[in-house]
Amino acid sequence: MFRPESNRRSKALLAALVVLPMMLTSFAFAGKKKSQQATAKPATPAKPEVDISKLVWPSPPNIPRVRYTAYYAGQKLDYTPASEQPKKKQGWMDRLAGAQDPNNRQHLKPLPFQLLGPYGMAVNSKGELYVADQKVGAIFVFNTETKDATLIRNGYEATFGLINGVALDDDDRLFVSDGKLRRVLVFDKKNAVVDQIKDGLIDPVGITIDSENRQLYVVDTQADQVVVYDADSLKEKRRIGAGGKKHELTTPGDFAAPTGIAIDKDNNIYVTDTLNNRVEIFDADGNFITQFGKHCDSPGCFAHPKGIAIDGDGHIWVADPMLDLLQAFDRDGQLLGLVGGHGTRLGQFSSLDSVFIDKNNRIFTSEQYPGRVQQFRYITDAEADQLKKEKEAQRAGTTTAVKEPSAAKPTTEAKADAGVANQQPAPASQPAGSKADSKLAAASDAKK
């Protein structure tokens, strides 16, 4: 028989034994909930999509003549964590020799190469884009559809000093100018070195090839000359310009630190005479024809022009790193239109260096800060005429509309995210149509 005091103590002890597990369970649940709340990651906001198909020059309501399509920044980034990367199999000889297991090493994930200092560009017969990058010391080869990139690397596939320009012939032979090593390297279509041009060059920079006449043109900036070679034998044929004057000549047909070079469909030669702030034009034999350009800091002028290219209608596009403008001219030097302005948004430039236009009227530009290549689509005079007729038909309220040429339509590539490896910047704001814009928009009317 229990005593009353003992009975009360027993009941209290029993109650404590019942309540204590419940309290412990409550505390454990609260601690777990707090831990889950602490480790929960905030939701990542979706990146705003940029409809680059609407990024055109000149701005509406003008007829567009240039359309933005893509940009390239380097090899694609792989966001897969290193722990989830495919493991490398260690051979039995490595294990026997006591070699460290590669899967236990830190930083397993290799970093892709990114553009740092892109300069000269060219496109091969497959539509692949070659970009010479001085700072990386390699030539990037981009698949323009998938944006995948492979490299021709210094110390591996070739030896580079300071690469400047690239050119490709109809057989996809690659020519690379190297200012530091004072030579032009020649690669076969498999990107293997097969030859070189070395004698007589001081500072080869701009380079292009006349596949029809089998002539290779190399701009020697420090020599103030354009050196012409036989593209097959690699023998020197002649030189354009009087050399050895230390950038002091201003006479027509001579140069002061020339940089870029391009050829039109009639094999005429166009050279940016950088320190003289002009473009000089020669025939296929190197005879001087004409020149245009003056120095100032506004559109229509030059402030040390460098890159140059010719579109399918014969317009002359000049890249100016001081103005950060890509300007289109006719052969009389009349400004037809422009793209760019200082900045890092899409369609803007920061230290614009080079421009290249391929047979499909794709315009590629390279700039230094940030290191990237931007891609545009030039809308030809014929395509602009059709767009103009369609616009007039819509204004008149007619039911018959002129079909826009397929080449001028926004492509799937233009609608897709053009970013490669880096987050895509916002597009540049579009200024109101200028007089130059209207001139380029009306270029097809002038030819009628």
Side-chain angles (χ1 to χ4, degrees), residues 237-248:
K237 297 179 68 175
R238 60 181 177 276
R239 294 188 174 223
I240 304 174
K245 300 300 181 180
K246 298 181 179 180
H247 316 320
E248 296 176 353

Side-chain angles (χ1 to χ4, degrees), residues 201-217:
L201 291 173
I202 301 174
D203 182 24
V205 180
I207 186 170
T208 192
I209 188 166
D210 176 0
S211 295
E212 181 180 344
N213 295 319
R214 307 304 302 163
Q215 294 189 139
L216 177 71
Y217 296 88

Side-chain angles (χ1 to χ4, degrees), residues 311-390:
D311 65 35
D313 291 323
H315 304 134
I316 307 160
W317 295 79
V318 182
D320 196 310
M322 301 298 291
L323 302 179
D324 277 329
L325 289 177
L326 178 63
Q327 303 183 82
F329 299 88
D330 61 18
R331 285 187 54 157
D332 296 326
Q334 186 71 27
L335 178 64
L336 301 176
L338 54 87
V339 176
H342 299 296
T344 58
R345 294 175 177 239
L346 299 184
Q348 293 179 331
F349 303 115
S350 182
S351 190
L352 171 67
D353 184 87
S354 298
V355 57
F356 179 82
I357 303 177
D358 70 3
K359 295 178 180 179
N360 295 316
N361 282 309
R362 295 186 301 175
I363 304 174
F364 300 93
T365 59
S366 64
E367 57 192 293
Q368 306 304 300
Y369 309 104
R372 65 176 176 180
V373 169
Q374 299 192 72
Q375 179 181 322
F376 306 82
R377 167 66 163 81
Y378 167 67
I379 299 173
T380 65
D381 290 344
E383 293 167 348
D385 283 343
Q386 288 185 311
L387 292 174
K388 183 177 180 181
K389 291 177 182 178
E390 180 180 357

Side-chain angles (χ1 to χ4, degrees), residues 143-162:
N143 182 315
T144 56
E145 296 296 328
T146 65
K147 306 299 186 298
D148 292 323
T150 58
L151 277 75
I152 303 173
R153 302 163 297 174
N154 178 35
Y156 292 87
E157 291 79 19
T159 299
F160 299 130
L162 190 66

Side-chain angles (χ1 to χ4, degrees), residues 55-314:
L55 191 55
V56 297
W57 291 263
S59 303
N62 296 292
I63 300 297
R65 300 308 305 272
V66 176
R67 192 183 301 279
Y68 196 98
T69 54
Y71 84 90
Y72 307 83
Q75 292 180 302
K76 290 182 179 179
L77 290 174
D78 184 1
Y79 294 98
T80 306
S83 59
E84 299 178 14
Q85 293 287 317
K87 293 185 177 181
K88 298 179 179 179
K89 187 176 180 181
Q90 188 180 29
W92 68 270
M93 293 187 66
D94 292 331
R95 292 195 300 270
L96 184 64
Q100 185 179 8
D101 186 349
N103 297 309
N104 293 330
R105 297 175 186 172
Q106 294 182 347
H107 310 297
L108 293 175
K109 189 173 173 182
L111 293 175
F113 286 92
Q114 303 297 291
L115 290 172
L116 297 177
Y119 284 85
M121 299 165 290
V123 172
N124 67 8
S125 62
K126 299 177 183 178
E128 295 173 324
L129 174 66
Y130 285 65
V131 182
D133 193 305
Q134 288 186 349
K135 294 179 182 178
V136 176
I139 297 171
F140 287 74
V141 184
F142 289 99
N143 182 315
T144 56
E145 296 296 328
T146 65
K147 306 299 186 298
D148 292 323
T150 58
L151 277 75
I152 303 173
R153 302 163 297 174
N154 178 35
Y156 292 87
E157 291 79 19
T159 299
F160 299 130
L162 190 66
I163 50 179
N164 294 304
V166 291
L168 288 146
D169 66 8
D170 290 343
D171 296 323
D172 284 342
R173 284 196 308 161
L174 172 66
F175 300 83
V176 182
S177 60
D178 192 318
K180 184 176 182 179
L181 298 181
R182 300 185 177 187
R183 68 182 182 183
V184 173
L185 276 183
V186 185
F187 297 74
D188 63 17
K189 61 183 178 181
K190 295 182 180 180
N191 297 333
V193 178
V194 293
D195 213 332
Q196 69 174 341
I197 301 172
K198 189 171 180 65
D199 296 336
L201 291 173
I202 301 174
D203 182 24
V205 180
I207 186 170
T208 192
I209 188 166
D210 176 0
S211 295
E212 181 180 344
N213 295 319
R214 307 304 302 163
Q215 294 189 139
L216 177 71
Y217 296 88
V218 181
V219 178
D220 194 323
T221 300
Q222 293 302 318
D224 292 329
Q225 291 180 317
V226 174
V227 189
V228 187
Y229 296 91
D230 183 286
D232 299 312
S233 67
L234 305 182
K235 301 296 184 181
E236 182 177 328
K237 297 179 68 175
R238 60 181 177 276
R239 294 188 174 223
I240 304 174
K245 300 300 181 180
K246 298 181 179 180
H247 316 320
E248 296 176 353
L249 295 179
T250 60
T251 50
D254 291 319
F255 308 107
T259 305
I261 188 167
I263 297 178
D264 66 14
K265 59 185 178 182
D266 296 322
N267 301 319
N268 294 310
I269 308 159
Y270 300 76
V271 182
T272 49
D273 190 8
T274 302
L275 294 187
N276 284 327
N277 294 295
R278 65 185 178 184
V279 170
E280 295 192 81
I281 306 174
F282 304 82
D283 65 19
D285 295 322
N287 300 310
F288 176 79
I289 299 176
T290 187
Q291 66 181 28
F292 67 86
K294 62 180 180 179
H295 179 261
C296 74
D297 58 359
S298 61
C301 297
F302 295 134
H304 296 174
K306 287 190 174 182
I308 189 167
I310 314 297
D311 65 35
D313 291 323

